[in-house]
Amino acid sequence: MKQLLLGLTILCSSVVYSQDYWLQKDTVKGSAKCAATAFVANEQAYVVTGLDEFGYKRKMASYNAQQDDWDTETALGGDEGDGLERVLATSFTLQTDGQDKGYLCLGQTPTIAYMNDMWEYNPATQAWSQKANFIGAARRSAVAFVVNNLAYVGTGQSASGLHKDFYTYDATSNTWEQIADFAGSARRAAVAFSMDQFGFLGTGNDGVERNDFWMYDPQTENWIVKAAFPGAPRSGACGWAAFPVCYLGTGEDANNTFHNDLWEYNYYLNAWTQRANLPGPARKNAIAFALNGWGFIGTGYNNGLFYDDLWAYSGTAGLASQESSALVLFPNPSNAQLNLKWEGPMPQIQCTSMLGQEVPIQVTKTDQLLQFTISTLPTGTYNLAIRSEKGAHQFTFEKCSGY
């Protein structure tokens, strides 16, 4: 959990100023493609596998954001990788031996509809090595996120249908373990990422296109419903996280309409805001990643067209932290009442538990103070979100049992 409590007093608030613009970058090396997968390791992004107009691929390229340049890397499986070409694989990054390594699993090859193999890429040696097979049903169109250097992989489609089961992968022991199922419906082609020690999963297709959005708490193994994605329900979308916000966009809806919209989810406010559309064509099965303070979307497919373009979005660089003595929540911790210096109209206020569940809180306003009565809250840590025309501010406070 990111620590916003500094000692016993919170001194920091955050205001999100979205830069909200896109820049076109160097086209992805290789042929235009869709249904590839991407991971970030050692401040470089890697795009591997996919489908182009000639067939399935296992090629890989790396992207350096500072140089805005792509390089060819070792294809999946290396010199012995023939037959590993695939689409709709799942990838993630873990640290082993003190260095980032990329992992790719599952997917569909030209001859095998559902795969369960697992591969590790070491950027230092530029080599792939095969790891323990996924222990669930072989599948494609699954999702993955990482919390505390543990990968969480689940959902997807297998020969028996759609899935909602989830598994963890520990790179240190090279082992898989089944955990609690996803609490939503079994589905394929969803979007997942992690923020602040939690996993997030949304959209996808369970027979119909979905717009639900969920948070997973690894400590309790609970899935918690969050504010639904407000765009058209869809599958084949993509996204990335940049705490305390994440982004989700593109994809295909139930009317076979392709989208180029982008939506921002705020972790503290449990609310979505539409941002500037991707300037390139609408698409599905694109890749997305976060790198050097920017979000990136590239490749994809739309009605017979494959894409090799890459676009960088500035919003991930738009979190400005401000330390302000005028915005101090005090006394903190407290067992009865909190105060915040505040001038102007009553703002919108939301109090949530650390699991994201909204809790009632009584608020009164004087000329220069907001006063929060917390005596009825159970002992614990809470988030307090305040929204006004001045901006959005987030605080964390501790409800204690007494002094």
Side-chain angles (χ1 to χ4, degrees), residues 80-132:
E80 306 300 322
D82 289 345
L84 295 178
E85 299 85 358
R86 69 187 64 197
V87 297
L88 303 173
T90 303
S91 64
F92 48 86
T93 304
L94 296 172
Q95 275 208 340
T96 61
D97 304 321
Q99 54 186 313
D100 289 349
K101 294 179 182 178
Y103 294 82
L104 183 148
C105 60
L106 314 179
Q108 174 182 347
T109 75
T111 58
I112 304 175
Y114 306 101
M115 296 292 290
N116 70 345
D117 57 341
M118 169 81 156
W119 294 82
E120 176 191 85
Y121 179 73
N122 187 338
T125 61
Q126 299 182 349
W128 289 93
S129 58
Q130 191 165 9
K131 296 297 180 179

Side-chain angles (χ1 to χ4, degrees), residues 211-225:
N211 70 339
D212 51 342
F213 193 63
W214 298 76
M215 183 178 81
Y216 178 71
D217 180 359
Q219 292 186 346
T220 64
E221 292 196 24
N222 287 327
W223 288 93
I224 302 155
V225 177

Side-chain angles (χ1 to χ4, degrees), residues 11 55 62 71 167 196 238 260 263 265 321 328 331 339 344 402:
L11 300 176
S62 65
D71 289 318
Y167 303 81
D196 193 33
C238 63
N260 65 346
W263 297 80
Y265 175 80
S321 296
V328 176
N339 303 286

Side-chain angles (χ1 to χ4, degrees), residues 18-34:
S18 177
Q19 304 299 311
D20 200 31
Y21 66 87
W22 294 86
L23 295 176
Q24 189 164 13
K25 296 296 183 176
D26 188 26
T27 54
V28 180
K29 197 173 188 70
S31 57
K33 63 178 71 69
C34 73

Side-chain angles (χ1 to χ4, degrees), residues 313-335:
Y313 180 70
S314 67
T316 55
L319 178 68
S321 296
Q322 298 181 335
E323 292 188 3
S324 171
S325 60
L327 287 176
V328 176
L329 197 62
F330 65 95
N332 189 12
S334 174
N335 69 339

Side-chain angles (χ1 to χ4, degrees), residues 57-354:
K57 302 297 177 184
R58 64 181 183 96
K59 293 180 178 179
M60 183 169 71
S62 65
Y63 178 70
N64 185 305
Q66 292 183 334
Q67 299 175 2
D68 187 27
D69 181 61
W70 290 89
D71 289 318
T72 299
E73 302 289 351
T74 306
L76 175 63
D79 293 339
E80 306 300 322
D82 289 345
L84 295 178
E85 299 85 358
R86 69 187 64 197
V87 297
L88 303 173
T90 303
S91 64
F92 48 86
T93 304
L94 296 172
Q95 275 208 340
T96 61
D97 304 321
Q99 54 186 313
D100 289 349
K101 294 179 182 178
Y103 294 82
L104 183 148
C105 60
L106 314 179
Q108 174 182 347
T109 75
T111 58
I112 304 175
Y114 306 101
M115 296 292 290
N116 70 345
D117 57 341
M118 169 81 156
W119 294 82
E120 176 191 85
Y121 179 73
N122 187 338
T125 61
Q126 299 182 349
W128 289 93
S129 58
Q130 191 165 9
K131 296 297 180 179
N133 284 351
F134 180 70
I135 61 174
R139 66 191 67 188
R140 63 186 185 225
S141 300
V143 299
F145 56 83
V146 174
V147 177
N148 290 330
N149 205 41
L150 197 65
Y152 293 77
V153 179
T155 69
Q157 183 175 5
S158 77
S160 62
L162 299 176
H163 289 271
K164 58 189 299 184
D165 52 342
F166 252 84
Y167 303 81
T168 59
Y169 176 74
D170 186 334
T172 302
S173 59
N174 187 30
T175 57
W176 292 89
E177 180 181 350
Q178 187 167 7
I179 59 169
D181 286 356
F182 172 52
S185 56
R187 66 189 65 193
R188 61 175 178 83
V191 177
F193 30 66
S194 58
M195 287 197 301
D196 193 33
Q197 310 305 305
F198 297 105
F200 291 82
L201 189 158
T203 66
N205 183 290
D206 65 359
V208 298
E209 308 298 339
R210 304 292 301 185
N211 70 339
D212 51 342
F213 193 63
W214 298 76
M215 183 178 81
Y216 178 71
D217 180 359
Q219 292 186 346
T220 64
E221 292 196 24
N222 287 327
W223 288 93
I224 302 155
V225 177
K226 308 303 286 185
F229 174 70
R234 65 192 65 186
S235 59
C238 63
W240 71 92
F243 185 86
V245 295
C246 60
Y247 296 87
L248 195 157
T250 69
E252 182 182 13
D253 67 23
N255 297 317
N256 302 120
T257 299
F258 295 89
H259 291 271
N260 65 346
D261 53 346
L262 182 73
W263 297 80
E264 177 188 271
Y265 175 80
N266 188 297
Y267 169 91
Y268 290 112
L269 304 181
N270 187 31
W272 294 88
T273 302
Q274 188 167 11
R275 297 304 185 190
N277 286 353
L278 175 74
R283 65 194 70 194
K284 70 173 182 179
N285 292 338
I287 53 102
F289 54 87
L291 184 62
N292 291 356
W294 292 74
F296 293 83
I297 291 179
T299 69
Y301 173 86
N302 182 334
N303 287 324
L305 297 176
F306 297 90
Y307 298 110
D308 62 359
D309 54 344
L310 181 71
W311 299 84
Y313 180 70
S314 67
T316 55
L319 178 68
S321 296
Q322 298 181 335
E323 292 188 3
S324 171
S325 60
L327 287 176
V328 176
L329 197 62
F330 65 95
N332 189 12
S334 174
N335 69 339
Q337 182 172 294
L338 296 165
N339 303 286
L340 181 70
K341 292 182 180 179
W342 188 267
E343 296 182 359
M346 175 72 83
Q348 294 180 326
I349 296 168
Q350 183 181 47
C351 183
T352 57
S353 71
M354 297 307 285

